[in-house]
Amino acid sequence: MAKAVESSGELGTTSPRPLMRDLKAVGKKFMHVLYPRKSNTLLRDWDLWGPLILCVTLALMLQRSSVDSEQDGGPQFAEVFVIIWFGAVTITVNSKLLGGNISFFQSLCVLGYCILPLTVAMLVCRLVLLAEQGPINFMVRLFVVIVMFAWSIVASTAFLADSQPPNRKALAIYPVFLFYFVISWMILTFTPQ
Amino acid sequence: MKQALVDDTEDVSLDFGSEEELAFPKAKIRHPLATFFHLFFRVSATVTYVCCDWFSRSFGGCFVTVLLLLSCDFWSVKNVTGSLLVGLRWRNQIDEDGKSHWIFEARKVSPHRPTATEAEVRIFWLSLIICPVIWIVFFFGTLFSLKLKWLALVTAGISLQAANLYGYVLCKMGGERDISKVTAGFLSHTVLPTASPRDFQKPGPAGLEMHKH
């Protein structure tokens, strides 16, 4: 799986890593999620900054504004956070147990980045909710969420499916489906009070 | 404290006689900005977490602020201050056939590059070790006081801080497999500097400052 390769002293320089390079890498991965195609970028150069940003954004948007300071959005905020990270870790453990050859952090990276379409859906839903409530409002949101949900599934399977043995693909993809379904459900049923 | 160290222009060799130290400017802190940021993010994350009730009632705001500070700290310690202050770097690399390797690098000590001073190294390692311990204390604090909504944040804090600690300890260990030897070496050189006979030949404010800690 992972082994420590020590090169003490071989490299004369351990120079600081520039910030812009990391930011560009994150941006590039977002692009890869929006236009999924067979590519190794998400897998080869993984990072967890994108998932963190998306998770925090989603959790902030899913907060209910409440008058009562006791329920100041606290439980909902931490809930979203825990669901996303715990869910991603569970899926990763599941895929490793099924014999996948993808590393722990690579899997977390892919699952986290593929939340991007659903975050966009959340944004759209919040804007739509500013308009008049009603069945049309709900239909629009339902449509947006379904499209983005499908987009997330397609993006993540494009990256994850290859890492599984052929007879286990469905077993590995099913939890991913469930994961994004739960997030989509949270987005769809969100109503600001 | 830091200001006093930076202003100090006494002719003091801090590691008691190493030749290469004499070749370079004798500042106490050669990378003041890196040292400052190394400490700033960790300390302000801890302080914000402790004092968040005084600043604002918003749970989400406090959560995001502390998380942001922890992330900045993680990035800066992993990518910048590690290589500047102690010449170590750790990273993960995925090669062509998809296998993941963790790479731990240590910069070779060379006479042509100014290495960091003892003070910087001490600051680096002490803060690297003390902060995860503080967050573990917070963890038990939230667990036993049943403020469970903070548990997610504290867990994130512990993971981010401990990841850097673990990475750098593995870098430092290099080929050394025995953690007790590394700990003993660390304690003798960094936490409890032993006095050598040459110590008494060069007394100065710097010497006094170090033994005060």
Side-chain angles (χ1 to χ4, degrees):
Chain A
M1 193 182 77
K3 69 182 203 295
V5 171
E6 285 147 5
S7 60
S8 41
E10 270 179 82
L11 290 178
T13 58
T14 45
S15 44
R17 204 173 135 134
L19 179 61
M20 282 317 294
R21 186 166 72 176
D22 277 338
L23 289 176
K24 279 196 197 136
V26 171
K28 203 161 112 172
K29 288 198 203 43
F30 279 141
M31 286 297 120
H32 274 270
V33 171
L34 289 180
Y35 306 108
R37 52 181 185 277
K38 278 263 178 285
S39 127
N40 267 343
T41 311
L42 240 70
L43 292 180
R44 288 287 301 278
D45 192 15
W46 63 266
D47 71 70
L48 293 178
W49 298 116
L52 189 66
I53 295 171
L54 289 173
C55 183
V56 168
T57 313
L58 207 54
L60 280 175
M61 288 199 282
L62 277 168
Q63 264 186 313
R64 290 190 162 79
S65 53
S66 174
V67 185
D68 189 353
S69 66
E70 264 304 303
Q71 304 161 3
D72 58 345
Q76 290 95 338
F77 189 96
E79 233 171 60
V80 174
F81 217 79
V82 166
I83 285 177
I84 291 180
W85 286 105
F86 191 69
V89 166
T90 309
I91 296 176
T92 307
V93 167
N94 173 67
S95 86
K96 289 205 79 74
L97 287 174
L98 285 173
N101 65 355
I102 195 175
S103 94
F104 183 78
F105 289 107
Q106 282 176 304
S107 171
L108 283 183
C109 170
V110 169
L111 289 167
Y113 271 100
C114 291
I115 297 178
L116 179 64
L118 287 171
T119 311
V120 171
M122 180 75 230
L123 211 64
V124 171
C125 282
R126 281 218 85 150
L127 292 173
V128 168
L129 279 168
L130 292 174
E132 196 185 294
Q133 301 272 337
I136 301 180
N137 197 299
F138 178 75
M139 293 309 290
V140 169
R141 284 187 292 131
L142 182 65
F143 176 71
V144 168
V145 168
I146 287 179
V147 166
M148 292 302 176
F149 168 69
W151 201 329
S152 284
I153 299 275
V154 165
S156 57
T157 47
F159 298 117
L160 287 178
D162 279 344
S163 65
Q164 290 292 334
N167 55 338
R168 298 273 171 83
K169 278 205 193 347
L171 275 176
I173 296 301
Y174 166 71
V176 176
F177 185 91
L178 207 58
F179 176 63
Y180 290 126
F181 181 78
V182 167
I183 299 178
S184 312
W185 184 258
M186 284 197 297
I187 294 174
L188 191 60
T189 56
F190 172 78
T191 48
Q193 249 120 27
Chain B
M1 179 196 93
K2 206 188 81 52
Q3 207 49 48
L5 291 174
V6 171
D7 288 338
D8 181 49
T9 51
E10 286 282 325
D11 184 60
V12 175
S13 173
L14 287 172
D15 55 354
F16 308 114
S18 153
E19 283 300 322
E20 66 174 11
E21 281 287 341
L22 301 175
F24 296 110
K26 294 177 194 48
K28 273 280 196 83
I29 303 266
R30 266 190 218 117
H31 306 103
L33 216 57
T35 318
F36 171 72
F37 277 111
H38 178 82
L39 291 172
F40 173 72
F41 288 129
R42 332 200 111 208
V43 169
S44 45
T46 314
V47 166
T48 313
Y49 175 74
V50 168
C51 304
C52 63
D53 279 336
W54 301 344
F55 291 147
S56 106
R57 314 232 57 199
S58 151
F59 174 77
C62 182
F63 193 106
V64 172
T65 309
V66 175
L67 199 59
L68 194 68
L69 289 168
L70 286 169
S71 313
C72 292
D73 164 70
F74 179 82
W75 188 88
S76 65
V77 170
K78 179 172 182 295
N79 290 308
V80 178
T81 63
S83 72
L84 280 181
L85 294 183
V86 290
L88 300 171
R89 186 172 65 181
W90 60 278
R91 58 195 168 90
N92 178 272
Q93 194 169 290
I94 316 262
D95 57 16
E96 290 296 327
D97 48 341
K99 283 178 63 75
S100 144
H101 298 283
W102 289 96
I103 300 188
F104 303 96
E105 300 162 347
R107 182 164 61 203
K108 191 160 40 183
V109 173
S110 94
H112 305 294
R113 295 180 71 101
T115 54
T117 59
E118 282 267 336
E120 289 176 337
V121 171
R122 189 168 298 125
I123 289 174
F124 180 88
W125 285 107
L126 283 178
S127 62
L128 203 67
I129 291 175
I130 290 175
C131 284
V133 170
I134 293 180
W135 282 97
I136 291 177
V137 169
F138 287 158
F139 178 81
F140 287 112
T142 45
L143 204 59
F144 294 137
S145 66
L146 294 178
K147 290 198 210 146
L148 295 177
K149 67 183 183 182
W150 292 105
L151 218 54
L153 181 61
V154 177
T155 310
I158 293 178
S159 353
L160 289 172
Q161 307 262 348
N164 261 325
L165 175 63
Y166 185 64
Y168 281 116
V169 163
L170 286 181
C171 284
K172 191 75 183 167
M173 278 169 73
E176 185 66 65
R177 285 279 149 241
D178 189 359
I179 186 79
S180 58
K181 278 194 214 155
V182 176
T183 318
F186 166 74
L187 282 173
S188 68
H189 290 120
T190 308
V191 176
L192 310 162
T194 52
S196 69
R198 301 180 72 170
D199 194 13
F200 296 103
Q201 291 169 14
K202 288 192 208 184
L208 289 175
E209 266 180 69
M210 270 184 354
H211 290 290
K212 259 192 230 161
H213 291 109

